[in-house]
Amino acid sequence: MSGKAYLIGAGPGRPDLITVRGLNLLRQADVVLYDWLVAPQLVDQARPNAVRIFVGKAHDRHTLEQDTITDLLVEYVRAGHHVARLKGGDPSVFGHVGEEAQALASAGLAFEIVPGVSSALAAPAYAGIPVTSRGYSTAFAVVTGHEAPGKADSTTDWNALAHIPTLIVLMGLHRVDLVCTTLIAAGRAASTPAAVISRATTREQRVVRATLADLPAALREANLPTPAILVIGEVVGLGATLEWFVPSLVEEGFEAFERLEQRTI
Ligand code: SAH
């Protein structure tokens, strides 16, 4: 039997936000390699005898190095297994999917990329923030806070980003001060609405809103846990009235997920 790797987006946190295709492929897998942001309820969807390996990478807490993960993936596929490589959100958004797909392609092995719901879009949605909106924003950008302003070899043009209507910063919770001051220095109004959304789409979701100038202080007060994303732009101002998400109701999502378990679509 020839093996194949499925590089699957697991969605932003809430387990039933995985795609139907992603779930079906996960349920057929012999081997599951999963990251730290993947909901445990999803890993539970694998067959009882499937091999499950946590290869998670948290900020400054690397369980396995990327090369080791890539090697594991290649070896399991080469051995003829159906491997589900589960990644948080969408695998192509800061998910190292390029490196893993490249390694599989170079080894002549089959793979498929199964897109997922990225936290970059799901977190704003769950905070009632439309990333584009007529009259407010006709464009958005998604950027990593790891390439924070001032980093010696940064290739991120923060001056250009200051002029994007909606800016979504991933992996930036520890650098919010620097991001806000750099954007203001680059000409973004200090009064621009901004929000940080922590543990979006889960029962633990929390949202902190402030102006760009006041956000760092508001965050020190709130002490939000990771993962979190930062959204900056006039659309954030709409969020306060469009807030629809009641975290305690995520229970419903779990029930819906249990029902989904009964059958394969
Ligand atoms: N591929 C993922 C992103 C990986 S980078 C995706 O498409 O979502 C990891 C970063 O994603 C975290 O540092 C955080 O900024 C963001 N993130 C992931 N899940 C999140 C969640 N549930 N709530 C808020 N931010 C999240």
Side-chain angles (χ1 to χ4, degrees):
M1 191 189 89
S2 57
K4 186 163 176 178
Y6 296 91
L7 309 168
I8 303 172
R14 184 175 177 154
D16 56 343
L17 282 173
I18 191 172
T19 64
V20 173
R21 181 156 182 77
L23 181 60
N24 284 340
L25 289 165
L26 166 64
R27 285 173 169 170
Q28 292 157 19
D30 311 311
V31 179
V32 182
L33 305 179
Y34 62 101
D35 285 347
W36 75 290
L37 287 174
V38 172
Q41 293 89 341
L42 279 181
V43 182
D44 289 347
Q45 290 296 304
R47 295 202 311 231
N49 59 348
V51 175
R52 296 146 212 250
I53 305 175
F54 174 66
V55 295
K57 286 197 290 174
H59 177 59
D60 44 271
R61 182 156 49 92
H62 285 230
T63 304
L64 290 179
E65 293 302 330
Q66 183 60 45
D67 287 352
T68 315
I69 300 172
T70 305
D71 290 349
L72 260 182
L73 182 61
V74 167
E75 286 320 311
Y76 274 115
V77 178
R78 212 197 300 273
H81 294 293
H82 169 141
V83 183
R85 172 73 177 100
L86 273 186
K87 293 164 174 288
D90 180 276
S92 303
V93 178
F94 303 119
H96 297 277
V97 84
E99 288 147 81
E100 294 178 16
Q102 186 64 55
L104 290 158
S106 312
L109 299 169
F111 67 91
E112 172 179 330
I113 299 176
V114 183
V117 176
S118 177
S119 64
L121 298 177
Y126 267 63
I129 301 167
V131 293
T132 66
S133 192
R134 201 146 55 99
Y136 290 92
S137 167
T138 54
F140 63 87
V142 179
V143 60
T144 166
H146 269 177
E147 294 290 312
K151 186 182 167 197
D153 56 353
S154 174
T155 50
T156 306
D157 184 347
W158 288 92
N159 285 320
L161 290 172
H163 304 288
I164 302 281
T166 306
L167 190 58
I168 300 161
V169 186
L170 272 61
M171 298 178 274
L173 189 61
H174 304 292
R175 295 179 178 80
V176 168
D177 288 48
L178 198 53
V179 168
C180 292
T181 49
T182 305
L183 291 173
I184 292 169
R188 195 73 190 231
S191 59
T192 307
V196 169
I197 307 145
S198 160
R199 304 206 169 162
T201 77
T202 75
R203 245 175 265 169
E204 290 146 29
Q205 173 170 313
R206 285 171 63 198
V207 183
V208 169
R209 299 167 188 280
T211 62
L212 193 53
D214 295 341
L215 191 65
L219 281 178
R220 274 191 289 277
E221 183 100 342
N223 199 18
L224 294 182
T226 56
I229 78 161
L230 167 61
V231 187
I232 297 155
E234 292 305 322
V235 287
V236 178
L238 297 170
T241 50
L242 299 182
E243 241 176 65
W244 59 270
F245 178 55
V246 185
S248 57
L249 295 185
V250 168
E251 212 67 62
E252 272 180 21
F254 283 77
E255 282 159 20
F257 195 70
E258 299 296 314
R259 282 197 297 277
L260 246 187
E261 268 180 47
Q262 313 303 319
R263 59 186 195 279
T264 299
I265 299 171

